[in-house]
């Protein structure tokens, strides 16, 4: 069988001969005869000769209508010549000719301009499942380190992410991440997925202030099992090993001067390290008390007032036998001590004898710390100046130990943090939503309590008293944390700067970059924007269009990524057609949700997010819930709506 150039005419065959066979693209079969000339008839191509072209050029130079027509004819002739040259360059063809690439696209039947060639789908598998492919497959671009958060939107491959897993794998330089996105698209679900992975891999998550709450339901369902599936119990043999869920409220107070489990663990340290740890504990007590006083009073604490607090705590630990490392004083005890100083000095002067030299010396130290100097330490001038210099501090302490603040902070801690728990979640959702100062004070105290526990754990590990542990600070609704002000920005800034030394990762979630700029103080705004700079990974859920411009210089979103995030943020049209039937659980997995007799499609951005790391292109991910997550409803934040609909349906029936 031969292949004949279909462009070249052949001589007619004799009567006894058959025409040479031609390979045709006809279901893979070769035709026995050459297609007839009629089937391949084409319009003959003619060109202008040189004399005609010269005449047309002269006419074109003269201008006018004739010149315009001459230029059109010359252009048509040039295109015909170009097509003819391209046809001559074509190789031997099948019946369906190959397309020739030109500067306008592919020339020929079925051709056209191609603006973008998509990247081919990438699949991943073991050599046992896909043998014979090596070395042809291309390496997948999405990592598998960390928690399984979803599948790649382009390739379908699984994607793994959490800030600690990526840091340990060497993909980022610090274990910090920040999540942005509009409400209702799955930010909290991603956080809970990462927290589940932390619990499974030995990292201890810390949720020091769960506002809504988002993690309480999930943490209460987590129980430690051994390799054989048996439930693990604590030393009492009754209580299973679970993450700790505590609460702070009017029925569950916390003493801010107790500094968590730090004091309880100091006794386990060697004698040489114990003294240094005690001084650090006193410094933490002063810091915690100063922060709460600034929140309750709404004013900064003066330097001499901070000195008075330090001296008062030293006096209480040195003169009162009931105050120990495990039994810290209350803010009310500090206030009573400051009130007793003048009367004690007056009584001692009047008697000219001091029945308690130790207490007299302690009160004299407080008098000196206030800066109240007279001719004699105990004369009327010194006492009057002491009362004047300590008036603001005593008023601030009185605000802290009275009213709503006193119900929470002027009582022993009811549920202290368990340093040996798998994780800690502090529920503060029962606090009044409109009590902004109270929530700020509780949040600051919880953070101080949590980090004192972390540092105490590291102290024990440094001295070989327990195995090293890593922690993950998870803060959902980060805008509420930053909005409390009063030093919380400084505390978060301290954590994000030295988190590698502390062995602690951080995962902050907020709605928009605007939340990091909503401060009256320029210093606080710049410090908050520094959190975004130090977050090595930015996870972007659906965002409005103007967010890309606000993130410029912080998160480098290209035009396609910004358009994708904005497209995800669009809400689908509600389907209220009564003929639409209800949707089953299987249909839900395909992207459709049924609620009662009405049917609504899931928004296009539900569960979709973009992982941005440095200057690299973002990784688009689709997160889907597992059957266990659906059955336990650990991610269901619409329970009140569900109960309301159920109650309404029942009453209507």
């Amino acid at each position: 069988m031969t292949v004949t150039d279909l462009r070249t005419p052949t001589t007619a065959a004799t009567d006894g001969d058959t025409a040479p066979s031609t390979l045709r693209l006809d279901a893979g079969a070769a035709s026995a005869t050459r297609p007839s000339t009629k089937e391949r008839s084409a319009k003959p191509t003619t060109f202008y000769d040189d004399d005609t072209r010269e005449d047309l050029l002269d006419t074109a130079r003269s201008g006018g209508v004739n010149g315009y027509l001459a230029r059109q004819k010359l252009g048509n002739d040039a295109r015909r010549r170009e097509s003819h040259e391209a046809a001559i360059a074509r190789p031997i063809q099948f019946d369906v000719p190959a397309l020739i690439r030109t500067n306008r696209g592919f020339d020929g039947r079925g051709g056209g301009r191609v603006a973008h060639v998509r990247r081919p789908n990438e699949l991943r598998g073991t050599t046992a499942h896909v043998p014979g492919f090596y070395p042809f497959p291309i390496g997948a671009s999405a990592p598998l380190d960390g928690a399984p958060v979803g599948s790649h939107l382009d390739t379908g491959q699984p994607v793994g992410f959490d800030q600690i897993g990526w840091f340990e794998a060497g993909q980022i330089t610090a274990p910090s991440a920040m999540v942005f996105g509009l409400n209702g698209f799955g930010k909290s679900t991603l956080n809970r997925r990462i927290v589940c992975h932390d619990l499974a891999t030995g990292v201890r998550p810390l949720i020091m202030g769960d506002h809504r709450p988002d993690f309480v339901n999930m943490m209460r369902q987590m129980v430690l099992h051994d390799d054989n599936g048996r439930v693990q119990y604590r030393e009492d043999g009754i209580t299973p090993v679970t993450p700790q869920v505590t609460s702070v409220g009017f029925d569950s107070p916390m003493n801010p001067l107790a500094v968590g489990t730090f004091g309880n663990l100091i006794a386990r340290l060697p004698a040489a390290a114990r003294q240094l740890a005690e001084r650090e504990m006193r410094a933490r007590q002063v810091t915690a008390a100063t922060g709460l006083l600034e929140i309750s009073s709404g004013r900064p604490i003066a330097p001499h007032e901070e000195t008075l607090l330090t001296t008062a705590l030293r006096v209480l630990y040195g003169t009162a036998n009931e105050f120990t490392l495990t039994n810290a004083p209350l803010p009310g005890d500090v206030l009573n001590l400051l009130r007793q100083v003048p009367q004690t000095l007056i009584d001692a002067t009047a008697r000219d004898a001091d029945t308690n030299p130790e207490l007299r010396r302690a009160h004299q130290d407080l008098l000196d710390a206030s800066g109240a100097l007279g001719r004699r330490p105990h004369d009327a001038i010194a006492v009057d100046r002491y009362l004047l210099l300590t008036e603001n501090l005593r008023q601030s302490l009185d605000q802290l130990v009275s009213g709503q603040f006193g119900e929470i902070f002027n009582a022993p801690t009811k549920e202290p943090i368990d340093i040996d728990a798998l994780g800690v979640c502090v529920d503060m959702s029962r606090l009044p939503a409109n009590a902004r100062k109270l929530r700020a004070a509780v949040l600051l105290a919880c953070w101080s309590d949590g980090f004192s526990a972390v540092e105490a754990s590291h102290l024990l590990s440094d001295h070989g008293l327990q195995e090293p542990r890593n922690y993950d600070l998870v803060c959902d609704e980060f805008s509420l944390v930053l909005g409390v002000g009063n030093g919380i920005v400084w505390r978060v800034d301290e954590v994000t700067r030295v988190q590698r030394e502390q062995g602690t990762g951080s995962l902050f979630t907020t709605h928009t970059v605007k939340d990091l700029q909503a401060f009256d103080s320029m210093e606080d705004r710049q410090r908050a924007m520094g959190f975004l700079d130090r977050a090595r990974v930015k996870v972007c859920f659906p965002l409005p269009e103007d967010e890309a411009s606000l993130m410029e210089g912080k998160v480098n979103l290209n035009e396609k990524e910004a358009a994708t995030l904005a497209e995800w943020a669009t809400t689908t049209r509600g389907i209220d057609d009564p003929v639409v039937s209800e949707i089953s659980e299987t249909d839900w997995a395909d992207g459709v949700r049924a609620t009662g007799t009405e049917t609504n499609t899931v928004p296009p951005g539900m569960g979709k997010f973009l992982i941005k790391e440095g200057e690299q292109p973002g990784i688009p991910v689709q997160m889907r819930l597992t059957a266990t997550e659906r059955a336990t409803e650990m991610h269901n934040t619409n329970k009140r709506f569900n109960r309301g609909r159920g109650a309404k349906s029942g009453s209507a029936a």
Side-chain angles (χ1 to χ4, degrees):
M1 180 180 66
T2 62
V3 180
T4 303
D5 187 355
L6 300 182
R7 293 178 288 101
T8 306
T10 57
T11 57
T14 59
D15 296 339
D17 298 333
T18 60
S21 61
T22 304
L23 186 62
R24 297 183 60 193
L25 190 61
D26 185 10
S31 59
T33 59
R34 182 172 180 262
S36 64
T37 306
K38 182 178 180 180
E39 294 177 357
R40 294 193 53 83
S41 61
K43 185 177 179 179
T45 302
T46 59
F47 310 111
Y48 294 129
D49 55 20
D50 294 340
D51 294 337
T52 305
R53 287 183 61 82
E54 288 294 337
D55 295 338
L56 289 174
L57 285 173
D58 294 337
T59 306
R61 295 188 188 101
S62 64
V65 177
N66 293 331
Y68 171 77
L69 296 176
R71 287 194 296 271
Q72 292 292 327
K73 293 179 180 180
L74 288 172
N76 294 336
D77 183 67
R79 283 190 289 273
R80 287 195 296 270
R81 290 173 182 270
E82 182 182 355
S83 300
H84 180 68
E85 292 175 358
I88 295 176
R90 291 177 183 171
I92 297 175
Q93 300 291 324
F94 296 109
D95 275 4
V96 179
L99 302 178
I100 300 299
R101 183 181 180 90
T102 67
N103 56 358
R104 292 178 176 269
F106 290 93
D107 182 32
R109 187 175 62 186
R113 182 176 178 272
V114 178
H116 174 70
V117 179
R118 292 192 57 184
R119 182 178 178 180
N121 289 341
E122 300 174 359
L123 303 176
R124 175 178 292 188
T126 64
T127 54
H129 292 85
V130 284
F133 279 84
Y134 180 83
F136 301 106
I138 303 174
S141 59
L144 277 175
D145 303 299
V149 295
S151 57
H152 198 291
L153 275 173
D154 293 335
T155 66
Q157 69 183 85
V159 179
F161 167 73
D162 70 71
Q163 68 280 9
I164 294 181
W166 278 30
F167 172 71
E168 292 177 341
Q171 297 190 49
I172 54 179
T173 58
S176 59
M178 188 167 286
V179 182
F180 295 94
L182 299 175
N183 54 320
F185 286 100
K187 300 189 303 297
S188 299
T189 301
L190 173 64
N191 292 344
R192 284 187 287 266
R193 182 74 64 86
I194 292 176
V195 168
C196 286
H197 184 264
D198 289 339
L199 293 171
T201 55
V203 177
R204 299 171 188 262
L206 299 176
I207 300 99
M208 306 309 300
D210 198 358
H211 299 271
R212 292 196 292 186
D214 289 316
F215 299 89
V216 170
N217 182 35
M218 181 197 72
M219 297 286 270
R220 285 176 175 165
Q221 299 182 52
M222 297 295 172
V223 180
L224 182 63
H225 292 73
D226 60 11
D227 295 338
N228 297 322
R230 295 188 294 266
V231 177
Q232 296 294 295
Y233 295 92
R234 296 187 181 273
E235 296 178 357
D236 57 7
I238 301 175
T239 306
V241 180
T242 61
Q244 183 187 24
V245 178
T246 67
S247 62
V248 178
F250 298 121
D251 59 342
S252 182
M254 65 177 301
N255 179 12
L257 299 180
V259 291
T261 58
F262 201 92
N264 298 331
L265 298 177
I266 288 178
R268 298 169 56 183
L269 295 174
R274 192 178 308 165
Q275 296 180 355
L276 180 61
E278 288 182 12
R279 289 196 293 269
E280 184 177 349
M281 184 192 73
R282 302 280 171 80
R284 284 191 167 278
Q285 289 176 319
V286 173
T287 302
T290 301
L292 293 180
L293 289 174
E294 289 181 346
I295 293 176
S296 62
S297 63
R299 66 173 185 88
I301 297 299
H304 75 278
E305 293 174 337
E306 187 173 346
T307 304
L308 270 172
L309 287 174
T310 305
T311 307
L313 288 173
R314 178 172 56 81
V315 169
L316 288 174
Y317 278 105
T319 59
N321 295 327
E322 66 269 20
F323 298 132
T324 62
L325 295 176
T326 58
N327 182 27
L330 298 173
D333 298 321
V334 178
L335 177 60
N336 292 333
L337 178 61
L338 295 179
R339 287 173 173 173
Q340 292 172 3
V341 171
Q343 189 61 41
T344 301
L345 294 176
I346 293 173
D347 293 344
T349 305
R351 292 193 306 266
D352 293 330
D354 197 347
T355 58
N356 191 344
E358 183 180 359
L359 183 60
R360 170 70 189 279
R361 180 68 256 174
H363 286 185
Q364 187 65 55
D365 291 342
L366 287 171
L367 187 67
D368 295 339
S370 68
L373 298 178
R375 288 173 298 179
R376 294 185 302 274
H378 54 271
D379 62 8
I381 296 178
V383 172
D384 289 343
R385 283 186 57 80
Y386 172 82
L387 293 175
L388 179 63
L389 291 170
T390 61
E391 181 179 5
N392 290 335
L393 178 60
R394 287 183 284 112
Q395 288 177 349
S396 299
L397 282 170
D398 188 63
Q399 291 176 351
L400 188 61
V401 302
S402 304
Q404 293 181 337
F405 282 86
E407 292 183 43
I408 295 178
F409 295 116
N410 197 34
T413 302
K414 183 178 181 180
E415 301 179 52
I417 291 180
D418 182 7
I419 195 64
D420 296 321
L422 300 179
V424 178
C425 178
V426 180
D427 181 9
M428 55 180 292
S429 60
R430 288 183 291 177
L431 295 174
N434 58 349
R436 180 177 176 273
K437 284 188 175 182
L438 182 62
R439 295 177 72 90
V442 169
L443 188 63
L444 185 62
C446 288
W447 277 50
S448 177
D449 202 6
F451 280 99
S452 66
V454 170
E455 295 187 6
S457 174
H458 291 330
L459 275 176
L460 295 179
S461 301
D462 294 341
H463 291 88
L465 300 178
Q466 72 177 19
E467 294 295 327
R469 296 172 179 174
N470 290 330
Y471 297 87
D472 189 9
L473 174 63
V474 180
C475 183
D476 206 348
E477 300 295 340
F478 192 46
S479 59
L480 298 180
V481 177
L482 296 179
V484 302
N486 299 98
I488 196 68
V489 176
W490 287 80
R491 186 58 178 160
V492 179
D493 181 71
E494 175 189 349
V495 173
T496 57
R497 288 182 184 274
V498 297
Q499 60 189 159
R500 290 181 298 170
E501 180 182 352
Q502 294 178 351
T504 304
S506 61
L507 179 64
F508 300 142
T509 302
T510 188
H511 294 96
T512 173
V513 179
K514 300 175 184 176
D515 297 333
L516 305 179
Q517 302 173 343
F519 294 98
D520 296 333
S521 170
M522 176 62 70
E523 182 181 3
D524 284 346
R525 284 199 298 269
Q526 293 177 348
R527 197 172 295 276
M529 291 302 292
F531 304 153
L532 184 57
D533 292 330
R534 289 191 294 276
R536 306 314 304 156
V537 179
K538 289 85 172 177
V539 181
C540 299
F541 277 81
L543 291 169
E545 293 185 12
D546 62 343
E547 195 71 13
S549 59
L550 296 176
M551 289 185 174
E552 187 174 355
K554 304 292 183 180
V555 184
N556 295 319
L557 297 172
N558 58 43
E559 294 182 1
K560 184 177 184 301
E561 292 171 344
T564 300
L565 294 176
E567 181 183 357
W568 289 347
T570 58
T571 304
T572 55
R573 181 182 61 86
I575 301 176
D576 52 3
D577 190 345
V579 302
V580 178
S581 59
E582 295 187 10
I583 306 300
S584 65
E585 185 69 15
T586 304
D587 295 329
W588 171 285
D590 297 332
V592 181
R593 176 175 57 192
T595 55
T597 58
E598 297 181 358
T599 304
N600 298 316
T601 58
V602 176
M606 178 68 71
K608 294 183 176 65
F609 56 91
L610 190 73
I611 303 177
K612 288 287 293 185
E613 190 273 311
E615 300 294 333
Q616 298 183 6
I619 303 174
V621 182
Q622 172 68 67
M623 178 172 53
R624 293 182 175 86
L625 302 183
T626 63
T628 302
E629 289 174 324
R630 292 186 183 279
T632 58
E633 292 190 342
M634 66 171 59
H635 301 302
N636 186 5
T637 57
N638 297 327
K639 291 183 178 180
R640 291 185 182 273
F641 276 99
N642 296 339
R643 290 199 298 266
R645 285 195 299 270
K648 183 177 180 180
S649 300
S651 61

